[in-house]
Amino acid sequence: MIKSVFLGTFAAAGLAAGVAGAATLDDVKANDVLKCGISTGLAGFSAPDANGVWQGFDVAVCRAVAAAVLGDSNKIEFVPLTTQTRFTALGSGEIDLLSRNTTWTFTRDVDLKQTFVGVNYYDGQGFMIRKDMGVGSATELDGATVCIQTGTTTELNLSDYFRVNNMDYDPVPIETNNEAIQQYQAGACDVYTTDASGLAATRATFEDAEAHMILPEIISKEPLGPVVRHGDDQWADIVRWTLNALIAAEEYGVTSANLEKMAEGTDNPEINRLLGNEGNLGEMLGLDAEFARRAIAVAGNYGEIFASNIGEGTPIGLARGLNAQWTQGGLMYSPPFR
Amino acid sequence: MSTVVDDGRQSFRPSMLLYDTRYRSLTIQVVAAILIALGMSWLLWNVVQNLAAQGKDFSFGFLGQRAGYDINQQLIDYNSNSSHARAALVGILNTLLVAFLGCVLATILGVIAGVLRLSNNWLVARMMTVYVEGFRNVPLLLWIIAIFALMAEGMPQPRDFREGGDASMVLDSVAITNRGIYLPMPVWGPGSGVLLAVFAASLAAIWAFRRYAHKRQEATGEILPVLGVSLALFFLPAIVFYFILGGPVSLSYPELKGFNFGGGLHLRNSLIALWLALSLYTGAFIAEIVRGGILAISKGQSEAAFALGLRPRRTMSLVVLPQALRVIIPPLISQYLNLTKNSSLAIAVGYMDARATLGGITINQTGRELEGMFLLGLFYLVLSLLISGVMNIYNASIKLKER
């Protein structure tokens, strides 16, 4: 009898473990909530607004996916994660989707078994410093004390950059962006380094933003994008094509203003397929035909999301640069909806 | 079991496993053991299954790979080209450093506060009460962060030390900045080895002299001036040889260079905050242990010592403390273990201990959470066992010798 209990326990455990790994879509639908991992606070990317509602460029990806899958952009449980906890949270199933300015690298993709579904922001690592330090270039930073967030690619880039340029530095490892700001503003470090977009966002929250500058050197490539667990291709496709839908919508001129009108049918078959008037792309994904329409309806297309969260009209004031559409000389390029 | 077989009158029935007190405890133990084994195997099975589901293996190969990150406080040579194992070692040494410094300072603080809390001086005793209650009733993490914030926000920046700045160095040699404290550091020139050897020899001489004085006192009752001779042995030979060798040891003073101070010894904010907070916090507990130990010695002991004509200080050091130590040491071991393990709160202030290197950055860069946490747990386990082993040996040596 004991033997059978033993075997039974093993079988049950094995079953439970096996189930946890697959079919994220079913889990999300069954829970009727999307568990989305975001950063603990980075203005413009993911930060709670005055009403305590999470807003931002990375949050918009979560909302679009929730709208596409569950039909409601508010059915999200936001899980704020530090750089150190994010991958464990994703791997253990604590979150379904990680949208937390995470750099797509070979090791993370191949060895850590994460699936990067695309890039929603092409970034690079930069340095922020007080203007009155009299430093005009990152090559003059020999001997500086540098605040970094631990567990990031920036930590490794920083080490490489200073070593290659034969400079010395004193790293001050910090857990979150907020703590880093505190240290930087107290002058406990001379320089703060992270992705240039993050620096711009951080600088925008300073009372004396004008007293700080971002050095011209960008020392790395940081393609940031949403991440899902390895091994669930259907879920990866859903997130990938929701993101592509936002990008494609901008390319084809589908905006939150003309979405309703476009959805009635246009003479561009690509738009018709995107918005579910032609073909059955949504069903192929395991969703319905209007998934992209709902995703775009949340906050508009990629360009609108960019403009309202981090664009030049906002305090963060990032130019589109590399993140412009490919038709505008940028890198944003959605594969065809066909 | 053999008793059962021998007992011819009553043969063994299964129900006896539950109702016979001879077998009941055995039954309960076996069932408990099976349940524990089942629980463990379930956990293990789950791990294996989940690792397989994520396509990960269990391997320590990552330890040999290039670490690629820098560590600001290194007791041994390390750079970003070193391996993850080396980085872990750097972190482990940093943990050992702060644990050692913390244990020493906590003991000193604890003994002083514990003794003074028993003082007849109302003000002193109350001040110590405030210290003890204040520190042991507030979470350690808050103290670490509070001291860190005090250093980071309250102290001047290095650039304030420039010409025209409003900060200056203490005695022109110590700079207290918001990045830590810069102290003059001894530079060991040629011939300093001889000086160290002389110093070691004088330490040995002090030990030998005290032994001799003790034996002589046991034999003849004559008391030698131990303190004076010890102090003379401690300082004189080293100073004489320092001048004979032409001053082989010099001091390197911190100087402002570019962004930061260069030269000298840099005690980082993170180390200072962690060290002070751990010491003050654990010291408060040790103070109570010391006070309890002293109070545990009956008043008759000191009264008897006074009756024999011993002065109060000698009474304390020869009669009360040796007996109190027997009460103090066992809980003191626990406090040392607590302090060592609490040092993993270093993460709050970015002190690069084993938790931050092996258990933090390495895990994050390699994705080997399970292996990393396993090694980290093993490290703390071994360290704790070592500390309690050493302290137990000490405890055995001071315990009441019964003849």
Side-chain angles (χ1 to χ4, degrees):
Chain A
M1 184 270 214
I2 288 203
K3 202 175 178 185
S4 65
V5 167
F6 197 70
L7 287 176
T9 314
F10 261 63
L15 211 64
V19 167
T24 313
L25 176 63
D26 296 338
D27 289 350
V28 172
K29 278 184 171 165
N31 296 335
D32 202 28
V33 68
L34 173 74
K35 287 174 286 181
C36 198
I38 48 170
S39 80
T40 49
L42 179 60
F45 285 85
S46 61
D49 65 11
N51 301 319
V53 181
W54 286 92
Q55 301 290 0
F57 189 69
D58 282 337
V59 170
V61 175
C62 300
R63 295 205 185 277
V65 173
V69 176
L70 300 171
D72 184 345
S73 64
N74 288 319
K75 285 186 177 167
I76 306 184
E77 182 189 330
F78 287 107
V79 182
L81 297 167
T82 66
T83 46
Q84 291 218 8
T85 52
R86 53 185 167 179
F87 294 125
T88 320
L90 183 65
S92 66
E94 196 184 320
I95 54 173
D96 306 312
L97 164 64
L98 178 69
S99 179
R100 193 209 175 282
N101 40 33
T102 301
T103 307
W104 185 352
T105 68
F106 183 95
T107 343
R108 285 175 177 175
D109 198 343
V110 177
D111 192 35
L112 299 195
K113 309 288 182 197
Q114 322 285 0
T115 297
F116 286 82
V117 297
V119 175
N120 68 338
Y121 193 94
Y122 288 96
D123 210 341
Q125 182 175 350
F127 297 96
M128 177 163 64
I129 192 166
R130 292 190 69 88
K131 277 183 186 162
D132 56 12
M133 286 292 214
V135 172
S137 154
T139 53
E140 298 164 25
L141 290 178
D142 193 14
T145 302
V146 184
C147 276
I148 34 168
Q149 288 186 53
T150 63
T152 58
T153 46
T154 52
E155 198 166 34
L156 307 182
N157 298 331
L158 181 71
S159 169
D160 287 347
Y161 181 77
F162 275 82
R163 191 165 43 81
V164 167
N165 287 295
N166 228 343
M167 298 192 298
D168 240 359
Y169 73 109
D170 189 32
V172 178
I174 312 254
E175 188 88 331
T176 67
N177 192 48
N178 296 338
E179 286 171 46
I181 297 172
Q182 211 180 346
Q183 291 291 305
Y184 173 74
Q185 287 197 312
C189 42
D190 303 302
V191 190
Y192 178 37
T193 181
T194 185
D195 298 339
S197 64
L199 289 179
T202 303
R203 181 169 166 269
T205 62
F206 287 177
E207 273 179 23
D208 56 342
E210 283 308 304
H212 303 265
M213 62 187 278
I214 294 169
L215 295 177
E217 283 85 357
I218 296 293
I219 65 167
S220 69
K221 289 190 291 189
E222 309 281 343
L224 311 178
V227 193
V228 298
R229 260 187 306 284
H230 206 64
D232 188 348
D233 290 343
Q234 188 195 14
W235 180 247
D237 285 341
I238 289 173
V239 181
R240 177 178 300 120
W241 285 97
T242 306
L243 177 63
N244 284 339
L246 298 178
I247 297 170
E250 186 187 15
E251 184 184 344
Y252 301 130
V254 180
T255 65
S256 48
N258 65 11
L259 179 66
E260 291 301 322
K261 199 160 154 281
M262 292 257 192
E264 285 163 14
T266 63
D267 47 8
N268 183 340
E270 183 90 1
I271 297 178
N272 291 346
R273 281 193 296 272
L274 173 69
L275 298 180
N277 280 331
E278 248 182 74
N280 56 349
L281 297 183
E283 280 113 72
M284 292 179 193
L285 269 182
L287 301 174
D288 59 2
E290 299 185 342
F291 81 98
R293 200 186 296 179
R294 285 195 303 272
I296 298 165
V298 178
N301 61 35
Y302 178 85
E304 290 175 90
I305 293 171
F306 193 103
S308 63
N309 287 306
I310 52 178
E312 283 173 323
T314 66
I316 295 159
L318 290 170
R320 283 299 286 271
L322 287 177
N323 298 294
Q325 288 288 333
W326 65 286
T327 48
Q328 311 284 321
L331 292 174
M332 281 299 153
Y333 184 104
S334 163
F337 275 75
R338 180 172 290 282
Chain B
M1 292 301 268
S2 59
T3 52
V4 184
V5 180
D6 292 343
D7 193 354
R9 283 173 299 163
Q10 199 182 9
S11 63
F12 179 77
R13 280 171 287 113
S15 64
M16 288 167 70
L17 283 176
L18 208 53
Y19 296 113
D20 191 320
T21 47
R22 281 176 299 174
Y23 305 116
R24 190 188 289 152
S25 60
L26 195 67
T27 314
I28 293 173
Q29 286 180 39
V30 168
V31 170
I34 290 175
L35 287 180
I36 290 172
L38 275 179
M40 300 277 277
S41 54
W42 180 75
L43 286 176
L44 206 68
W45 184 252
N46 222 342
V47 167
V48 171
Q49 281 287 311
N50 276 315
L51 281 181
Q54 290 183 27
K56 286 187 178 180
D57 57 347
F58 188 83
S59 124
F60 291 103
F62 70 97
L63 284 175
Q65 291 166 9
R66 178 178 179 272
Y69 60 90
D70 286 298
I71 300 177
N72 53 21
Q73 178 180 304
Q74 316 158 354
L75 297 178
I76 52 173
D77 272 341
Y78 171 87
N79 61 50
S80 56
N81 283 329
S82 307
S83 65
H84 280 293
R86 185 88 176 170
L89 186 61
V90 172
I92 284 172
L93 288 176
N94 285 343
T95 295
L96 292 179
L97 175 73
V98 78
F100 175 75
L101 291 175
C103 284
V104 170
L105 187 59
T107 310
I108 294 172
L109 285 173
V111 170
I112 292 176
V115 171
L116 288 188
R117 230 191 138 178
L118 293 171
S119 163
N120 291 326
N121 184 322
W122 187 88
L123 190 64
V124 169
R126 285 302 167 278
M127 270 169 55
M128 289 304 132
T129 309
V130 168
Y131 158 65
V132 167
E133 299 302 345
F135 272 91
R136 71 173 184 169
N137 292 319
V138 174
L140 175 56
L141 185 60
L142 293 190
W143 283 118
I144 295 177
I145 293 175
I147 295 177
F148 189 65
L150 205 70
M151 295 287 297
E153 307 277 346
M155 302 301 164
Q157 300 178 25
R159 59 198 190 117
D160 293 335
F161 287 81
R162 287 186 196 156
E163 292 290 323
D166 49 6
S168 61
M169 290 162 80
V170 181
L171 300 175
D172 273 341
S173 56
V174 177
I176 302 174
T177 74
N178 67 350
R179 291 171 194 180
I181 298 177
Y182 295 84
L183 299 168
M185 185 173 63
V187 179
W188 307 101
S192 50
V194 180
L195 195 66
L196 279 183
V198 168
F199 187 67
S202 40
L203 286 184
I206 291 172
W207 177 77
F209 177 72
R210 292 181 88 103
R211 219 175 129 92
Y212 165 73
H214 191 73
K215 273 209 172 127
R216 198 182 151 107
Q217 189 183 351
E218 296 260 296
T220 66
E222 197 181 334
I223 297 175
L224 291 175
V226 175
L227 183 69
V229 174
S230 299
L231 280 179
L233 277 176
F234 188 84
F235 285 111
L236 283 181
I239 291 174
V240 168
F241 267 83
Y242 178 80
F243 286 109
I244 290 176
L245 293 167
V249 180
S250 57
L251 286 177
S252 128
Y253 290 97
E255 273 175 73
L256 199 55
K257 285 177 189 158
F259 290 100
N260 281 312
F261 281 91
L265 185 68
H266 183 191
L267 292 183
R268 275 161 209 287
N269 263 353
S270 49
L271 173 65
I272 294 171
L274 191 64
W275 176 29
L276 287 187
L278 281 173
S279 306
L280 287 168
Y281 180 79
T282 314
F285 286 92
I286 293 180
E288 287 298 272
I289 292 171
V290 168
R291 187 171 72 107
I294 293 173
L295 287 179
I297 307 308
S298 78
K299 204 155 185 280
Q301 295 280 334
S302 22
E303 281 169 353
F306 292 148
L308 287 173
L310 287 182
R311 281 163 286 170
R313 245 180 46 203
R314 278 186 181 278
T315 306
M316 188 53 116
S317 64
L318 294 176
V319 177
V320 177
L321 272 185
Q323 298 187 75
L325 271 183
R326 288 182 297 123
V327 185
I328 292 173
I329 296 297
L332 192 63
I333 302 176
S334 306
Q335 290 306 326
Y336 285 171
L337 296 182
N338 275 347
L339 188 146
T340 307
K341 287 175 292 175
N342 284 343
S343 72
S344 58
L345 287 172
I347 192 69
V349 287
Y351 179 75
M352 298 301 275
D353 70 338
R355 159 72 186 79
T357 58
L358 174 64
I361 304 177
T362 292
I363 284 186
N364 218 278
Q365 303 294 5
T366 61
R368 301 283 179 182
E369 300 94 355
L370 201 62
E371 294 92 333
M373 282 298 160
F374 176 78
L375 285 179
L376 196 62
L378 196 68
F379 160 65
Y380 280 111
L381 180 69
V382 168
L383 181 59
S384 297
L385 288 178
L386 274 180
I387 292 174
S388 59
V390 169
M391 290 300 290
N392 278 332
I393 292 173
Y394 178 63
N395 191 29
S397 75
I398 55 139
K399 111 180 140 184
L400 200 60
K401 307 277 190 305
E402 293 180 356
R403 299 186 179 91

